[in-house]
Amino acid sequence: MKRTLFILIFAFFVAFLATNAQTDASKRKPKQSTTAATTKPKQSTTSASKPKPAASQKQSTASKQKPKSGGVSNAPTLGTSNYTPEVKTYYANGVAFQMVEVRGGTFRMGATSEQGSDAYDDEEKPTLQVTLSSYSIGKTEVTQALWKAVMGSKASFNTGDNLPVGFVSWDDCQEFIRKLNALTGETFRLPTEAEWEYAARGGSKSRGYKYSGSNTVGDVAWYDGNSGSKTHPVGTKAPNELGIYDMTGNVREWCSDRYGDYSSASQTNPKGPNSGSYRVFRGGSWYDDARGCRVSFRFSNYPSIRNSSLGLRLAR
């Protein structure tokens, strides 16, 4: 009897200990859960500051490193390229004109984010990555003085030596450039559409502006809101990041390319389509509203067309 009673008491004691152990374990779980919850944000913060090589982390890091729209993709931040563009002066029959160095780089061309709802889907999209070699571009639009020095006659409705030339066709520009090169022994040409946009955006010094040199169109452009329906002397508005004037407003500027739709494929030194009836011109004019003066906005027409808002800028 005593033996049976001892066994019952021992069994009861073991059951009591097991019950306490389960109770203690259930009490510890909330502490473990709370601890995990409080340490997770710290772990997340640490992983954000020191990215792991996981695919998701790489994508997150890449998106943070992308430049703001309009910038050069191989630069850590916009506007940090600290070189001073070289400016060279040339002469044609005694008339001086200047060309500005544009160092090569990679950028997003087309309707980048700063263009907002002003961008046209059928003209400026999709955006594409473009890589360009170094080149130089006119500090100002070709003036009437330079045109007359080369061609022997004026070609504009409004007259004035320091006014941009207008009323010139793409074909006229080719003749002007042939004669200019013969006079100078140089190799001037029209810029490609990609070269024009990269320079207008400020090249590797770009700060991602909507217009060439500012987000306020009137600071950098003679356009329909301030022009009084006429052209104005070149270089009288603020320059862009490269020290180039009037890439938005005053007169539109012929480019060398035929017009074509954009492709999202990356390109290097693109020259436009091999065929097509229209040629591209860029930059807006005294006649255009602010929307038409944006750095990504595109115009096109037959190469024989002339009007008072259409001129040119040299490249080399």
Side-chain angles (χ1 to χ4, degrees):
M1 184 71 180
K2 289 180 179 180
R3 181 181 179 86
T4 302
L5 181 60
F6 175 78
I7 291 171
L8 289 173
I9 292 171
F10 181 77
F12 177 81
F13 180 74
V14 171
F16 176 77
L17 289 176
T19 301
N20 278 347
Q22 289 175 352
T23 303
D24 288 343
S26 66
K27 287 179 180 177
R28 287 195 297 269
K29 282 179 182 177
K31 290 183 180 180
Q32 291 171 344
S33 175
T34 304
T35 303
T38 56
T39 56
K40 279 182 180 177
K42 293 181 181 179
Q43 292 170 348
S44 175
T45 303
T46 303
S47 64
S49 60
K50 296 180 180 180
K52 295 180 180 179
S56 60
Q57 287 285 14
K58 286 182 179 180
Q59 290 172 356
S60 174
T61 304
S63 65
K64 290 178 182 178
Q65 290 175 342
K66 285 180 181 178
K68 296 178 182 178
S69 50
V72 180
S73 65
N74 58 3
T77 54
L78 289 177
T80 60
S81 185
N82 60 4
Y83 82 101
T84 300
E86 183 181 7
V87 179
K88 288 187 176 181
T89 302
Y90 298 86
Y91 295 88
N93 285 335
V95 175
F97 60 101
Q98 293 183 312
M99 303 291 289
V100 177
E101 172 193 16
V102 183
R103 291 191 180 177
T106 300
F107 76 111
R108 297 298 300 181
M109 183 173 177
T112 45
S113 61
E114 83 288 337
Q115 302 300 309
S117 60
D118 281 346
Y120 290 91
D121 290 349
D122 58 343
E123 296 281 342
E124 303 169 47
K125 296 180 181 180
T127 60
L128 63 155
Q129 180 173 288
V130 174
T131 300
L132 295 174
S133 302
S134 297
Y135 58 100
S136 60
I137 199 165
K139 186 173 183 178
T140 69
E141 296 155 330
V142 169
T143 63
Q144 294 185 31
L146 180 59
W147 185 275
K148 187 174 181 180
V150 173
M151 302 295 285
S153 61
K154 68 175 186 176
S156 299
F157 183 77
N158 296 325
T159 57
D161 283 350
N162 208 35
L163 292 174
V165 70
F167 241 103
V168 292
S169 68
W170 188 91
D171 295 329
D172 294 335
C173 294
Q174 300 309 306
E175 183 182 0
F176 167 79
I177 289 169
R178 282 193 296 271
K179 291 184 176 181
L180 176 64
N181 288 342
L183 282 171
T184 61
E186 302 291 344
T187 53
F188 298 107
R189 56 180 174 82
L190 291 177
T192 66
E193 186 176 13
E195 287 173 338
W196 189 97
E197 185 169 321
Y198 183 54
R201 288 180 179 274
S204 61
K205 299 173 76 68
S206 174
R207 296 185 179 275
Y209 293 130
K210 189 172 187 175
Y211 310 101
S212 183
S214 178
N215 285 323
T216 303
V217 64
D219 290 348
V220 291
W222 295 110
Y223 73 115
D224 74 349
N226 63 9
S227 69
S229 299
K230 62 182 180 181
T231 57
H232 290 258
V234 298
T236 51
K237 286 292 184 178
N240 75 354
E241 299 93 317
L242 291 172
I244 305 170
Y245 293 87
D246 299 308
M247 291 201 81
T248 47
N250 223 4
V251 292
R252 303 164 181 169
E253 302 170 12
W254 284 109
C255 295
S256 61
D257 311 46
R258 291 180 173 88
Y259 174 82
D261 293 335
Y262 283 162
S263 163
S264 59
S266 299
Q267 298 183 39
T268 299
N269 294 324
K271 291 179 169 51
N274 293 324
S275 62
S277 299
Y278 283 6
R279 295 284 179 172
V280 175
F281 46 98
R282 292 294 209 103
S285 73
W286 60 267
Y287 176 81
D288 295 294
D289 61 11
R291 191 179 189 185
C293 291
R294 295 174 297 106
V295 292
S296 63
F297 187 75
R298 308 172 74 203
F299 300 86
S300 63
N301 212 322
Y302 294 109
S304 59
I305 195 73
R306 297 184 183 95
N307 63 56
S308 59
S309 64
L310 187 49
L312 76 154
R313 184 185 302 267
L314 294 170
R316 182 179 180 275

